[in-house]
Amino acid sequence: MVPNGTHGGTMSSRSGTTAVSAGSPRALDESRVVWALPAEWWPAAVRFSTVVFQLALIAVVLALWQIDGPAFRLQFTLICVGFVVHHLLPLRFRLPFFVVLSMLGIGALFGVTHGLVLVSAGVLLLAAANAPIPFAARIGLIVLLGVAMALGRQSEMIPAMTGVWPILGSMFMFRLMVYMHDLRTGIAPAGVWRTLAYFFMIPNACFPLFPIVDYKTFTRTYYNREALDIYQKGVDWILRGVFQLILYRFVYQNLVMDPEHVADAGDLARYLVANFLLYLKVSGNFHLIIGILHLFGFNLPETHHKYLLSSSFTDFWRRINIYWKDFIQKMFFFPVYFRVKRRGDVFAIGVATCLAFVATWALHSYQWFWLRGSVLFTWQDISFWTILALGVLVNVVYEAKTTRQRAAAKLSRTWRSELGRALRTIAMFTFICLLWSLWNTHSLDSWLTMLSKARYVSLASAAGILAGCFVLGVAAVTMGRSTSERTDAPLQASQGALRKEFWLSAVKSSAFAAVLVIVGRYPMWFAAVPTVADTLDRLTTNQLSARDTALLERGYYEDLTGEAQFSPELADLYMGQSPEWNQLRDVELESNEKQFPSGLYLPNIRRTLSDGTTLSTNRWGMRDQDYSKEKPEGVYRIALLGDSIPFGHGVGDEHVFEQIVERRLNQPETAPGAKYEILNFASKGYGPYGRLQYLRLRAIEFAPDAVLSVAVNDVEWMLRDVSRCVSNDLTIPDPFVVDIVAKAGLSSGMGRRVVEHRLAPYALELVKWNYVQIVEVCRAHGARPFAVFLPRLNDRRWEKDQLPQLILAAEEAGFTVLDLTTAYDSVDDWKSLWRRSWDVHPIPQGHQLIAELFYEKLKPLVVPPPPAP
């Protein structure tokens, strides 16, 4: 945060390029620049072709590794084509072409209508910013427009803006502040095309979280060096971003774990490091974005620089999200610093630093509002920025007092100084990991419980932690002293050195991209080492981690907004749920009674799903055809209890496996004269305890001859059922469950994750008791109890780990067990039965497979009464 000098820049005059100073507003007056062809055009053509070849390889890599979704990959194709055309145009046409290309990218992604709405809203803000009125009046007009748009963002009353708000906010919420500052001070050139290019950058349409590009830097680094060198650097940074995103995916899929699963010091270290390394997604995307902008001549500096090797708080602040640091310095730190500097340098630095971090916290909440639609105001967020601010404040005051000593220390490198750097880097990394985990925790109780596991240290965990510290220390000594690259600095290298650097970079990037293509295309080449092959195969798919899969399942059944904010993958999915999720919430009626279960479905509802099929409920609120409460004579009535799968989430009424089985049972050739009714009491979000309560409160009133208790992994679901009761302070009607809750030391208001963690040792005991209760209720009312176990599409491990003990518990309780976990065995790839890559409810084909096996096993066991004479 200490003030530093401003870097200038020049454009090389070698190879027929006219020198241009980047220090004045006239530097980018394209009409005054003459771009002469080199004496021999073919070397430049070869180098340009090399850049195009690398971009083609990168496009293949993005497709094979499924980087950043299909929308971005489509956009990248447009970017590559636009890059070629852009380079071939005369310089004076390139900036307008970039603007047009960006507009086309917005239209391709959002469609014509929504694209026009986005651009129109942006142009309205720019018109206010450049209106021929006093500057203060312009600021007031922008504030009024901002307030109006904020109200629209919160109300979501304008359908055409629903998907536009995050991108509009990303383009203008901070960049407009920088732009107005530079207009007022006159430190950067203005102009229609520069302004439109600055706000409507083509990558922005795909990346709501976008680096805060400085307007002055954006204009002054435009073609400030030879074009092909800028392009090659862009290719390097795009690949660097891709590599970081692949590393992120590896960490996310393989290292991320639930804090409640931390058992010892080794698990704790893994959790802390993996949690911090998830930031690779931000740094990877930022490298990708800035690399793309290099392809169009914007020679912007680095956004991140080896932030894992920070040796102090101020070093960390300088290295991570450099653009944000520069933005805060420009808009808050320097104005305050120079205003109060007369009271002493140390005092000025301290006051300016405090204000800078208050602004950082407030602006992050502001950013969250535009990207997510709600204000982020949590104790975790406040704690994180407060602690980081205190660390930076102490550090920056200390540095201000010891400037000369630090400068002298940099000149001498001894074993003692290098060891000190290594230890400081290890200590800083450890502290940041701890602070990051606090920022991302769900509750202080959960965080402290997790940290308490550090006292359990095994030899293996100690060896792993020491090895990690050693590697980090060596990296700090060998690579940690470098500073971030300033691309607006004067060019020093000779032409020959630049050519050599270009080709060395091109060869490295081409080779790396080719390796990614080969590995992404043929991960099974590593089949000799199954673990490696499986890891690589999963890395090429954008799938959720085990932790977030569980959270996403929770999000289907309950509000997940609070937890989704801590996982970028999960937040993106949760904010863009399938229409059926919202429709299910639409048909659900939560009663006001403090009892469990509280969720019922509204009667006589009819909704059209995204595939044109129908979701409907009958007069009893069941997803089924209409039945009378009194059982007709001669009918064999079956009550089905379960969760979202037997309910039929995401499929039309006619595709639900329960209805398929019922139709088959009632075919004349099946049992002439017989009549079956299967009443579907399934309800999303309730496990075994929910099924027991539904049986008691609703299903038994319909006088069933048989009860089908349909289960998927009842151990996990029992924990969720009971934790819901405890966390929501719902009345628990069973003394046995009340006693278990007391044994676990639970109380109302505790977070569900903490409750589940403490209940885990009692889970199987609760399930066994629950099974006995269902059987007793069935027998008391003359109904035959069946326990039905369905396959779990996204995780077959539970069939090996828990299914045998669940089947045994069901049989001991008195159930007739129907094991349907082999229903999908005829399908080689179970993922083909998923509704979406993140929604593992079965598609109609999955329901059909379940129905076939279900019918075969159920038919011999349900015998209707003889027909009336």
Side-chain angles (χ1 to χ4, degrees):
M1 301 291 287
V2 180
N4 48 37
T6 302
H7 297 278
T10 61
M11 184 178 296
S12 172
S13 60
R14 301 177 179 91
S15 296
T17 304
T18 302
V20 180
S21 168
S24 68
R26 297 182 61 185
L28 294 177
D29 187 353
E30 295 88 344
S31 63
R32 299 174 181 267
V33 180
V34 178
W35 292 81
L37 287 173
E40 296 181 0
W41 62 269
W42 66 267
V46 171
R47 290 199 296 148
F48 178 70
S49 300
T50 303
V51 174
V52 173
F53 171 73
Q54 293 173 84
L55 290 177
L57 283 177
I58 291 174
V60 176
V61 170
L62 296 177
L64 290 175
W65 291 83
Q66 299 183 27
I67 300 296
D68 272 321
F72 169 71
R73 295 195 291 274
L74 176 63
Q75 196 87 325
F76 191 77
T77 302
L78 179 64
I79 287 168
C80 291
V81 174
F83 161 72
V84 174
V85 177
H86 178 270
H87 175 74
L88 296 177
L89 291 172
L91 180 64
R92 65 180 181 275
F93 296 127
R94 293 184 184 180
L95 205 56
F97 177 80
F98 175 76
V99 173
V100 172
L101 186 68
S102 298
M103 299 299 180
L104 290 175
I106 291 173
L109 186 63
F110 289 96
V112 176
T113 301
H114 289 74
L116 285 174
V117 169
L118 171 59
V119 173
S120 299
V123 169
L124 179 62
L125 289 169
L126 293 180
N130 292 276
I133 56 177
F135 189 82
R138 280 185 273 167
I139 295 296
L141 183 57
I142 290 173
V143 170
L144 288 176
L145 289 174
V147 170
M149 291 181 178
L151 293 174
R153 175 70 175 105
Q154 192 170 23
S155 66
E156 298 284 352
M157 294 181 62
I158 309 174
M161 293 292 289
T162 301
V164 166
W165 289 120
I167 301 300
L168 181 66
S170 176
M171 290 176 173
F172 288 89
M173 59 184 169
F174 298 132
R175 248 177 273 167
L176 196 57
M177 296 170 62
V178 176
Y179 179 73
M180 296 304 294
H181 174 276
D182 288 356
L183 281 185
R184 181 176 61 84
T185 57
I187 61 176
V192 174
W193 294 118
R194 293 189 188 97
T195 299
L196 292 175
Y198 177 64
F199 285 98
F200 296 102
M201 304 181 201
I202 187 169
N204 212 157
C206 292
F207 295 97
L209 189 60
F210 203 84
I212 307 177
V213 178
D214 182 69
Y215 181 67
K216 181 180 73 172
T217 305
F218 181 78
T219 57
R220 294 195 175 190
T221 59
Y222 184 63
Y223 282 114
N224 66 338
R225 295 190 183 180
E226 190 176 16
L228 292 170
D229 294 331
I230 298 176
Y231 300 159
Q232 183 58 44
K233 182 178 294 181
V235 170
D236 294 342
W237 286 8
I238 290 172
L239 276 173
R240 187 188 300 179
V242 169
F243 179 63
Q244 290 186 16
L245 291 174
I246 293 174
L247 284 180
Y248 162 81
R249 190 176 288 174
F250 173 80
V251 172
Y252 175 72
Q253 292 181 355
N254 298 279
L255 301 182
V256 168
M257 61 188 304
D258 197 295
E260 276 74 25
H261 293 162
V262 172
D264 59 16
D267 286 345
L268 179 60
R270 170 186 163 184
Y271 173 83
L272 294 175
V273 172
N275 194 49
F276 178 41
L277 290 183
L278 291 178
Y279 187 77
L280 283 166
K281 182 166 187 179
V282 176
S283 62
N285 279 336
F286 279 18
H287 277 92
L288 204 60
I289 291 165
I290 301 302
I292 289 172
L293 291 176
H294 273 72
L295 299 179
F296 297 94
F298 301 102
N299 194 22
L300 297 166
E302 284 184 299
T303 62
H304 295 76
H305 183 75
K306 299 179 182 178
Y307 54 90
L308 300 180
L309 302 180
S310 304
S311 58
S312 67
F313 283 100
T314 51
D315 195 29
F316 178 75
W317 178 248
R318 294 185 187 111
R319 291 172 182 260
I320 192 167
N321 203 347
I322 298 169
Y323 285 22
W324 179 272
K325 180 262 299 179
D326 291 345
F327 166 73
I328 292 295
Q329 281 187 332
K330 180 174 184 173
M331 302 301 299
F332 299 96
F333 180 85
F334 285 135
V336 174
Y337 171 80
F338 288 114
R339 183 177 293 272
V340 300
K341 187 179 179 181
R342 63 182 181 275
R343 301 186 61 179
D345 196 54
V346 173
F347 175 81
I349 290 175
V351 172
T353 300
C354 290
L355 180 63
F357 275 93
V358 171
T360 294
W361 164 74
L363 291 176
H364 270 81
S365 297
Y366 174 67
Q367 181 182 44
W368 185 269
F369 169 78
W370 282 108
L371 299 185
R372 297 295 183 193
S374 60
V375 177
L376 181 63
F377 189 82
T378 64
W379 69 266
Q380 296 99 322
D381 202 51
I382 295 172
S383 300
F384 176 83
W385 293 113
T386 300
I387 295 171
L388 186 59
L390 290 174
V392 172
L393 178 61
V394 171
N395 219 161
V396 78
V397 171
Y398 172 77
E399 288 182 355
K401 290 183 176 181
T402 60
T403 303
R404 292 183 180 179
Q405 296 92 319
R406 289 188 294 108
K410 287 183 179 179
L411 299 178
S412 60
R413 298 183 63 174
T414 65
W415 70 267
R416 183 171 297 178
S417 68
E418 298 306 281
L419 179 61
R421 168 171 284 276
L423 293 177
R424 289 195 305 273
T425 301
I426 293 169
M428 191 63 203
F429 182 82
T430 302
F431 186 87
I432 289 298
C433 287
L434 284 167
L435 186 59
W436 213 271
S437 69
L438 177 65
W439 194 18
N440 290 281
T441 192
H442 299 280
S443 69
L444 185 60
D445 185 24
S446 175
W447 189 68
L448 294 174
T449 300
M450 177 189 68
L451 294 186
S452 69
K453 304 299 175 63
R455 65 181 184 271
Y456 303 114
V457 183
S458 65
L459 182 61
S461 63
I465 293 172
L466 290 175
C469 290
F470 177 77
V471 171
L472 183 61
V474 171
V477 171
T478 57
M479 299 183 293
R481 289 183 179 272
S482 62
T483 57
S484 58
E485 181 181 0
R486 298 294 304 189
T487 57
D488 56 353
L491 203 60
Q492 302 293 338
S494 66
Q495 188 68 21
L498 289 175
R499 294 293 181 270
K500 182 178 179 180
E501 181 182 346
F502 174 91
W503 285 111
L504 182 62
S505 172
V507 169
K508 289 180 179 178
S509 295
S510 299
F512 180 60
V515 169
L516 290 179
V517 169
I518 294 171
V519 174
R521 180 68 180 84
Y522 303 106
M524 289 301 107
W525 279 8
F526 300 88
V529 187
T531 302
V532 174
D534 180 63
T535 299
L536 290 174
D537 185 48
R538 285 187 290 110
L539 281 177
T540 58
T541 59
N542 190 22
Q543 55 183 268
L544 292 178
S545 66
R547 172 180 176 271
D548 278 353
T549 297
L551 284 177
L552 186 64
E553 290 178 358
R554 182 197 302 275
Y556 164 67
Y557 303 108
E558 58 197 63
D559 181 27
L560 189 59
T561 305
E563 297 188 49
Q565 69 182 17
F566 304 118
S567 167
E569 300 274 355
L570 192 57
D572 290 343
L573 295 179
Y574 185 73
M575 295 301 173
Q577 298 165 348
S578 66
E580 287 75 21
W581 288 31
N582 297 323
Q583 286 173 333
L584 283 178
R585 289 196 173 95
D586 185 33
V587 302
E588 186 179 9
L589 172 66
E590 295 290 342
S591 68
N592 294 323
E593 299 178 17
K594 301 289 288 183
Q595 66 178 16
F596 179 82
S598 59
L600 303 173
Y601 291 111
L602 295 171
N604 301 315
I605 292 295
R606 187 177 181 86
R607 299 283 187 268
T608 301
L609 303 181
S610 56
D611 62 356
T613 56
T614 302
L615 182 156
S616 61
T617 61
N618 62 19
R619 56 175 158 160
W620 310 110
M622 294 184 285
R623 189 176 186 190
D624 214 329
Q625 56 185 300
D626 195 41
Y627 301 102
S628 62
K629 179 170 287 190
E630 297 76 22
K631 183 177 65 173
E633 186 176 351
V635 169
Y636 191 92
R637 175 170 282 183
I638 303 171
L640 183 145
L641 305 166
D643 58 13
S644 58
I645 296 179
F647 174 85
H649 164 74
V651 301
D653 293 337
E654 67 275 16
H655 298 305
V656 181
F657 73 80
E658 168 267 324
Q659 297 200 30
I660 297 174
V661 172
E662 184 180 42
R663 288 196 298 269
R664 289 198 63 182
L665 286 173
N666 286 306
Q667 290 176 351
E669 60 272 18
T670 301
K675 177 65 175 176
Y676 293 88
E677 290 180 351
I678 303 181
L679 280 60
N680 191 347
F681 292 95
S683 178
K684 72 181 183 69
Y686 291 105
Y689 198 38
R691 298 197 298 271
L692 171 61
Q693 300 305 327
Y694 269 117
L695 176 64
R696 289 170 169 171
L697 299 175
R698 301 189 66 202
I700 210 67
E701 296 179 354
F702 288 77
D705 297 291
V707 172
L708 302 174
S709 178
V710 182
V712 179
N713 202 352
D714 271 350
V715 173
E716 289 184 13
W717 278 108
M718 192 72 195
L719 293 178
R720 295 183 190 182
D721 283 348
V722 179
S723 70
R724 184 179 300 175
C725 294
V726 175
S727 299
N728 294 338
D729 196 22
L730 302 179
T731 301
I732 301 176
D734 298 288
F736 179 85
V737 180
V738 173
D739 290 343
I740 293 292
V741 168
K743 286 182 183 178
L746 304 178
S747 60
S748 62
M750 282 186 173
R752 292 186 188 174
R753 296 168 64 78
V754 176
V755 172
E756 290 178 14
H757 175 65
R758 294 189 177 184
L759 274 177
Y762 307 96
L764 186 59
E765 184 180 355
L766 284 167
V767 170
K768 290 180 177 179
W769 168 86
N770 190 89
Y771 284 178
V772 170
Q773 297 303 305
I774 293 177
V775 170
E776 288 182 354
V777 172
C778 290
R779 288 177 175 170
H781 293 83
R784 183 177 179 180
F786 290 87
V788 183
F789 293 96
L790 297 180
R792 190 176 185 182
L793 270 174
N794 62 320
D795 183 10
R796 303 197 65 178
R797 290 173 297 177
W798 83 277
E799 297 174 13
K800 181 184 298 183
D801 299 339
Q802 297 181 7
L803 182 60
Q805 59 185 357
L806 290 177
I807 290 178
L808 179 61
E811 290 175 340
E812 290 177 347
F815 279 110
T816 300
V817 174
L818 302 180
D819 181 5
L820 306 184
T821 55
T822 60
Y824 304 143
D825 285 359
S826 60
V827 179
D828 294 331
D829 182 10
W830 282 23
K831 293 180 183 178
S832 64
L833 300 177
W834 295 7
R835 295 195 63 252
R836 290 176 174 82
S837 61
W838 46 269
D839 185 353
V840 296
H841 290 86
I843 61 176
Q845 181 187 354
H847 278 266
Q848 183 65 43
L849 293 171
I850 293 174
E852 291 173 0
L853 184 59
F854 197 4
Y855 173 79
E856 291 177 7
K857 293 198 173 190
L858 181 66
K859 176 61 180 70
L861 300 175
V862 289
V863 181

